[in-house]
């Protein structure tokens, strides 16, 4: 079985809201705010797995990493995988 087959489809990650229920939530938000929320929620639903989240979002891992760095620099809490968090704690690295 290939790794790609274990990646959930974008539809599987979406809440079960109809389009007429989603659009009012977006009105008044900037495109950057909507993108940031989508990235953060996708990371959370992928348990912080950046490779999986990038595939779901249709981004390269590098682009996702750059967005995460930008969000972290802005003081936004970004979901991290438990595996990565444990490795960083053991090595004394920060999450930035």
């Amino acid at each position: 079985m290939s790794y790609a087959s274990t990646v959930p489809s974008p539809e599987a990650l979406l809440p079960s809201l109809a389009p007429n229920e989603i659009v009012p939530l977006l009105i008044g938000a900037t495109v950057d705010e909507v993108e940031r929320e989508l990235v953060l929620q996708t990371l959370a639903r992928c348990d912080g797995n950046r490779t999986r989240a990038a595939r779901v979002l249709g981004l390269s891992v590098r682009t996702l990493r750059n967005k995460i760095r930008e969000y972290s620099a802005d003081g936004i809490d970004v979901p991290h995988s438990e595996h990565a968090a444990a490795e960083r704690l053991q090595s004394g690295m920060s999450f930035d």
Side-chain angles (χ1 to χ4, degrees):
M1 174 169 36
S2 72
Y3 177 78
S5 66
T6 64
V7 176
S9 69
E11 295 80 16
L13 292 176
L14 292 175
S16 58
L17 295 174
N20 64 337
E21 295 173 309
I22 294 173
V23 173
L25 299 174
L26 304 177
I27 293 174
T30 66
V31 172
D32 285 341
E33 291 168 338
V34 172
E35 178 187 65
R36 181 176 55 242
E37 192 60 29
L38 180 61
V39 167
L40 294 173
Q41 286 190 24
T42 302
L43 273 167
R45 289 180 185 229
C46 290
D47 298 320
N49 184 313
R50 294 177 181 189
T51 302
R52 206 166 89 197
R55 287 184 180 169
V56 169
L57 291 165
L59 301 173
S60 69
V61 175
R62 178 178 291 192
T63 298
L64 180 59
R65 183 190 66 220
N66 291 338
K67 290 182 182 301
I68 289 169
R69 283 186 180 159
E70 178 185 326
Y71 302 155
S72 294
D74 290 342
I76 296 169
D77 187 31
V78 177
H80 294 281
S81 71
E82 290 184 26
H83 177 71
E87 284 181 356
R88 288 181 180 186
L89 286 174
Q90 288 176 352
S91 68
M93 293 173 58
S94 71
F95 284 99
D96 297 327

